[in-house]
Amino acid sequence: MPDRPADDWDRRVAAGLAFLRKRLSGDYEVDEFGFDPELTGKVLHPLLRLLYRDWFRTEVTGMEHVPADTAGLVVGNHSGTVALDALILSAALHDQHPARRFLRLLGADLVFRMPVVSELARKSGATVACNPDAERLLGAGELVGVFPEGYKGIGKLYSDRYKLQRFGRGGFVSAALRTGTPIVPVAIVGAEETYPMLADIKPLARLLKLPYFPVTPTFPWLGPLGMVPLPSKWLIEFCPPIPTAHLRDAADDPLVVFNLADQVRETIQQTVHQLLERRPDPFGP
């Protein structure tokens, strides 16, 4: 006999109360980085699911390239004025990976200096983007996510959309080489249209100690409503992994690091172009 709606509602309420009791009593576990898998899986990801599945209508391909149960360094393009792409990637990977793996994101220092945001970032499994933390996570067999473009990627103008910026010094490559971890490039299309940045008010950014102060079609004109992302169509594709185990001895060789970083960047850029051809309408179904 199928469950009645009232029975389903009762179960949800009971599960919610049990979750709250555990949180209030402190009966839950976090790892050495502050990662709280229960809170992430039961609270944060369901909220993000509404965005990536219903608002952005996200399509994910190439999940077979993500390691099943071993370490992997997922490297993506960064864009969109607000770093939604990192959050959407994390939630989509967890939901669609057969083993429902969590992606441990590496974030900028600014994220961990902001009240509330810092705590949520730690709880969701993120940590500061530095090689020691990345290597510890990879050495423990985790999936680690990194966006080497940093602020140059998310803070670029809409006129430069889908043009990958410089990848910095390739620190992510060194971390992968030292641990022999495969690098999985991932291309994300759709984030550029969520908050199209038309201008950057640099004096105001300096005053507020921000990397940039964006002007979009809706912000700051509409106030808080300007933070509502536009419903662009998202495509995410994981590319075949690039092995690094045979290059472990070259982790400190600048030429090897640069060439590998350039290979990853070019792979992502070409895949972005292919995805754009598949998505001629940025706001299509």
Side-chain angles (χ1 to χ4, degrees):
M1 180 177 178
D3 293 333
R4 294 178 300 171
D7 294 335
D8 184 55
W9 178 250
D10 288 343
R11 278 198 300 272
R12 292 186 180 185
V13 171
L17 291 174
F19 176 75
L20 286 175
R21 278 197 300 271
K22 291 180 68 176
R23 308 309 298 184
L24 293 173
S25 66
D27 183 23
Y28 58 90
E29 295 182 359
V30 298
D31 70 7
E32 59 180 311
F33 295 94
F35 176 43
D36 187 335
E38 184 181 46
L39 180 69
T40 301
K42 292 187 177 181
V43 178
L44 302 181
H45 279 179
L47 294 174
L48 290 170
R49 191 173 297 127
L50 295 175
L51 272 180
Y52 92 75
R53 186 181 61 191
D54 301 324
W55 191 249
F56 296 137
R57 308 169 305 287
T58 307
E59 296 179 16
V60 181
T61 54
M63 189 62 72
E64 68 275 9
H65 298 309
V66 180
D69 53 13
T70 56
L73 184 63
V74 179
V75 182
N77 56 305
H78 215 12
S79 63
T81 307
V82 176
L84 277 180
D85 50 6
L87 302 178
I88 296 299
L89 177 67
S90 179
L93 189 154
H94 176 263
D95 282 4
Q96 300 198 27
H97 193 282
R100 296 182 68 81
R101 299 196 68 182
F102 288 104
L103 183 66
R104 309 297 296 271
L105 295 170
L106 302 180
D109 292 348
L110 177 63
V111 172
F112 299 96
R113 295 200 303 265
M114 299 171 65
V116 181
V117 173
S118 172
E119 184 68 15
L120 286 174
R122 290 286 186 190
K123 292 287 188 183
S124 68
T127 189
V128 178
C130 64
N131 273 23
D133 281 4
E135 290 173 25
R136 284 164 62 199
L137 286 167
L138 293 172
E142 299 282 358
L143 277 182
V144 175
V146 63
F147 295 85
E149 293 172 278
Y151 294 128
K152 298 188 299 295
I154 57 174
K156 65 178 179 288
L157 297 177
Y158 187 63
S159 57
D160 293 324
R161 60 192 178 279
Y162 298 118
K163 298 175 184 176
L164 269 68
Q165 305 299 297
R166 190 171 59 86
F167 266 19
R169 299 179 180 177
F172 71 96
V173 171
S174 297
L177 290 175
R178 287 194 177 91
T179 55
T181 301
I183 298 173
V184 182
V186 59
I188 303 171
V189 160
E192 299 276 18
E193 291 86 14
T194 55
Y195 302 102
M197 191 159 83
L198 306 178
D200 175 12
I201 306 179
K202 296 184 184 298
L204 192 52
R206 286 194 294 269
L207 180 65
L208 298 174
K209 297 182 179 179
L210 297 173
Y212 52 87
F213 189 91
V215 175
T216 76
T218 59
F219 181 84
W221 327 112
L222 299 183
L225 286 176
M227 294 304 296
V228 176
L230 298 179
S232 55
K233 170 71 175 179
W234 284 44
L235 301 176
I236 298 176
E237 181 166 335
F238 294 93
C239 305
I242 300 171
T244 66
H246 63 294
L247 296 171
R248 294 185 74 154
D249 294 336
D252 296 317
D253 186 330
L255 184 59
V256 172
V257 170
F258 174 81
N259 286 339
L260 192 51
D262 193 56
Q263 180 185 352
V264 174
R265 183 182 179 279
E266 186 62 24
T267 298
I268 297 172
Q269 182 69 82
Q270 292 302 318
T271 307
V272 163
H273 290 323
Q274 294 167 12
L275 293 179
L276 288 171
E277 291 178 0
R278 282 174 43 195
R279 191 209 63 162
D281 181 1
F283 298 97

